[in-house]
């Protein structure tokens, strides 16, 4: 009953724990079936650790399967503009995490045996005035201190590599390693690979209570009680509620945001495109659809579900058209909203709870699609008692 059933190559096996008479036991319980949870399940299974992942809905139905698929390395433009240089310097160490994650993305498809549609045409930030350019220069200097490669472009250099960008742009910065992957494919691919290695996965199973006991945890779920020696909180936007069950009060927030997609069109946008000081991410997928995002607010309906906001859509399209005028001839066919896991200072929250040994948090806000592979591996290494390959020091919840 507890062995994963992998149905052909597409389905992730789900154990019907509801029929189990005895409470379930596991070494590591992973809560949350988004990218973080699925990637952790895979990393631990690969290293011979017994895991059980529970997901209250189906796998990849929240942020990890609803995002825009951008693979970022740079410090994001919007908080850089609004929070200023002091914030930028404290945020800067995350650039190293993102860079390492992008290296992992480049080979993940081969490891998981799935084409994750990873493309790295480079990211391009456009500047429209001298103040933008001065800001981009400062940001690039801070990013280079973290080892990120980026190139300042003059107006003519920008036009040479991105003729589709408006002539109003006076220059920009090119980050060669940035790009995109397909969010619909990534987390399920990790989950399938984990299940093949013996990891157990239970969907439609919500954690509703957690008691710390000697040497482990009793977890109340909608499918019965689970006993676990260790717990990893990968609950995304809900991670704060779960952390509070062990007395951890963390500044985790949930924001509804939206992304739009156009009809397929001939190749137009060759990069992951941003605009200095604006909320914008623009890219074209392999089918020719253009994804238009940048973290614009969506709203909640009367039942608390995220729904698209028309004013944000208009604002987002206006910025996009200002950067790529040719977009005016392409129809937007869909806008969707989802909840993103956030923190006001944009910094990740990672590691073992200081006063609850065995309770781990794997939480990367706003850009957790990019960072999923690296943070899952790092938290998995902590669980394995290994030194993570990346420096988690600035982000450890034990250091806060
Ligand atoms: C519209 C949008 C666009 C975005 N664009 C990008 C982008 O281009 N690039 C980028 O890097 N990032 C982007 N992000 C952010 C990124 O998607 C998230 O940071 C990342 O997916 C978080 O992954 P996660 O696994 O931690 O959380 P999630 O994918 O949200 O997974 C958490 C899971 O935990 C489950 N869960 C919660 N509570 C419980 C419980 N009590 N019991 C059981 N299960 C529970 C949830 O149902 C959920 O499935 C975007 C996000 C959104 C919403």
């Amino acid at each position: 009953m507890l062995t994963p059933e992998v149905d052909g190559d597409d389905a992730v096996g789900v154990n019907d724990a509801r029929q189990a008479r005895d409470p379930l036991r596991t070494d590591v319980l992973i809560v949350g079936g988004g990218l973080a949870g699925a990637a952790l399940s895979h990393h631990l299974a690969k290293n011979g650790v017994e895991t059980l992942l529970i997901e209250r809905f189906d796998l990849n139905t929240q942020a990890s399967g609803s995002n825009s698929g951008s693979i970022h390395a740079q410090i994001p433009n919007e908080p850089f503009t609004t929070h200023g240089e002091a914030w930028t310097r404290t945020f800067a160490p995350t650039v190293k995490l993102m860079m390492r994650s992008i290296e992992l993305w480049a080979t993940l498809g081969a490891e998981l045996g799935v084409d994750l549609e990873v493309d790295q045409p480079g990211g391009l930030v456009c500047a429209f005035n001298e103040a933008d350019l001065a800001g981009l220069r400062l940001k690039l200097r801070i990013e280079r201190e973290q080892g990120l490669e980026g190139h300042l472009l003059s107006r003519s250099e920008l036009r040479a590599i991105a003729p589709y960008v408006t002539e109003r742009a006076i220059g920009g910065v090119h980050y060669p390693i940035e790009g995109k992957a397909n969010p619909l494919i990534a987390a399920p691919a990790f989950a399938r690979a984990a299940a093949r290695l013996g990891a157990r996965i239970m969907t439609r199973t919500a954690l509703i209570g957690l008691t710390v006991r000697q040497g482990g945890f009793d977890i109340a779920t909608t499918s019965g009680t689970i006993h676990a020696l260790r717990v990893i909180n990968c609950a995304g936007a809900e991670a704060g509620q779960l952390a509070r069950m062990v007395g951890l009060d963390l500044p985790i927030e949930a924001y509804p945001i939206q992304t739009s997609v156009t009809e397929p069109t001939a190749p137009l946008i060759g990069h992951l495109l941003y605009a200095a000081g604006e909320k914008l991410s623009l890219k074209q997928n392999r089918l020719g659809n253009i994804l238009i995002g940048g973290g614009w607010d969506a709203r909640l309906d009367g039942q608390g579900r995220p729904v698209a906001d028309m004013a944000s859509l208009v604002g987002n399209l206006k910025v996009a058209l200002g950067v790529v005028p040719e977009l005016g001839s392409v129809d937007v066919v869909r806008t969707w909203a989802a909840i993103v896991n956030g923190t006001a200072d944009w910094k990740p929250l990672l590691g073992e709870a200081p006063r609850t040994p065995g309770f781990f948090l794997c939480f990367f806000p706003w850009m957790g699609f990019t960072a999923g592979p690296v943070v899952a591996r790092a938290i998995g290494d902590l669980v394995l008692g290994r030194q993570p390959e990346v420096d988690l020091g600035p982000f450890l919840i034990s250091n806060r």
Side-chain angles (χ1 to χ4, degrees):
M1 180 162 307
L2 299 182
T3 312
E5 294 153 16
V6 180
D7 185 6
D9 216 23
D10 313 320
V12 176
V14 173
N15 310 288
D16 193 357
R18 280 151 283 243
Q19 291 167 20
R21 262 197 245 126
D22 297 327
L24 293 172
R25 292 177 189 283
T26 184
D27 177 349
V28 176
L29 180 79
I30 298 169
V31 185
L35 183 61
L40 252 158
S41 174
H42 177 249
H43 186 58
L44 290 175
K46 218 170 62 175
N47 285 281
V49 177
E50 180 196 34
T51 60
L52 170 59
L53 182 154
I54 58 170
E55 163 55 48
R56 63 185 164 155
F57 303 129
D58 288 318
L59 294 177
N60 206 35
T61 48
Q62 303 304 302
S64 298
S66 316
N67 65 64
S68 311
S70 305
I71 300 289
H72 312 280
Q74 63 182 281
I75 293 165
N77 288 284
E78 193 216 341
F80 166 73
T81 310
T82 52
H83 294 15
E85 182 175 349
W87 170 85
T88 305
R89 290 197 176 277
T90 62
F91 179 81
T94 57
V95 169
K96 281 207 170 90
L97 294 190
M98 312 289 266
M99 287 166 59
R100 178 62 187 138
S101 211
I102 292 175
E103 278 174 15
L104 296 176
W105 273 109
T107 55
L108 264 180
E111 181 179 357
L112 301 178
V114 179
D115 180 1
L116 301 175
E117 298 182 14
V118 177
D119 292 318
Q120 294 174 267
L124 199 54
V125 193
C126 304
F128 296 94
N129 54 52
E130 288 303 330
D132 283 353
L133 265 186
L136 289 184
R137 264 191 221 105
L138 168 64
K139 189 163 85 77
L140 181 58
R141 210 165 43 241
I142 297 169
E143 291 160 342
R144 281 179 174 156
E145 285 164 14
Q146 300 296 322
L148 179 64
E149 182 185 350
H151 306 282
L152 265 175
L153 303 177
S154 65
R155 181 194 289 266
S156 60
E157 287 166 336
L158 176 65
R159 288 215 64 70
I161 67 166
Y164 56 88
V165 167
T166 172
E167 290 184 12
R168 287 191 308 109
I170 63 166
V173 178
H174 181 232
Y175 297 92
I177 65 170
E178 291 191 319
K180 60 184 186 288
N182 189 329
L184 297 175
I185 302 175
F190 268 118
R192 272 198 301 278
R196 281 197 294 271
L197 293 166
R200 289 175 293 159
I201 294 167
M202 284 166 44
T203 55
R204 301 182 193 215
T205 299
L207 181 150
I208 48 177
L210 183 149
T211 310
V212 184
R213 62 171 168 80
Q214 187 68 25
F217 301 85
D218 290 337
I219 297 103
T221 79
T222 49
S223 301
T225 302
I226 298 172
H227 298 304
L229 300 182
R230 295 172 287 180
V231 172
I232 312 180
N233 177 355
C234 297
E238 315 292 324
Q241 291 167 26
L242 182 42
R244 271 194 291 281
M245 293 181 187
V246 297
L248 263 180
D249 196 12
L250 296 169
I252 291 175
E253 292 173 23
Y255 301 89
I257 59 170
Q258 63 191 47
T259 297
S260 300
V261 65
T262 71
E263 62 184 327
T265 186
L268 173 63
I269 297 175
H271 301 88
L272 170 57
L273 202 62
Y274 314 84
E278 300 276 11
K279 283 158 84 127
L280 181 70
S281 74
L282 261 182
K283 62 192 155 306
Q284 193 160 14
N285 68 18
R286 289 193 190 168
L287 296 173
N289 312 87
I290 295 167
L291 287 134
I292 308 172
W296 285 73
D297 290 345
R299 57 187 179 82
L300 298 176
D301 69 7
Q303 288 166 295
R305 292 172 307 200
V307 288
D309 180 84
M310 194 49 80
S312 282
L313 173 61
V314 171
N316 197 177
L317 296 184
K318 206 169 149 195
V319 174
L321 276 168
V323 180
V324 181
E326 260 189 78
L327 270 178
S329 60
V330 186
D331 284 341
V332 169
V333 292
R334 184 173 168 241
T335 300
W336 68 89
I339 304 287
V340 65
N341 54 319
T343 52
D345 68 4
W346 285 63
K347 291 178 200 157
L349 295 163
L350 301 165
E352 191 168 13
R355 279 185 293 280
T356 314
F359 185 92
F360 295 83
L361 178 62
C362 184
F363 180 91
F364 199 103
W366 300 108
M367 296 181 292
F369 183 66
T370 305
V374 79
V375 291
R377 190 188 277 220
I379 298 302
D381 284 345
L382 288 183
V383 171
L384 288 159
R386 295 179 188 161
Q387 179 71 28
E389 59 172 351
V390 285
D391 178 15
L392 296 183
F395 318 114
L396 288 175
I397 46 179
S398 52
N399 289 343
R400 288 176 75 89

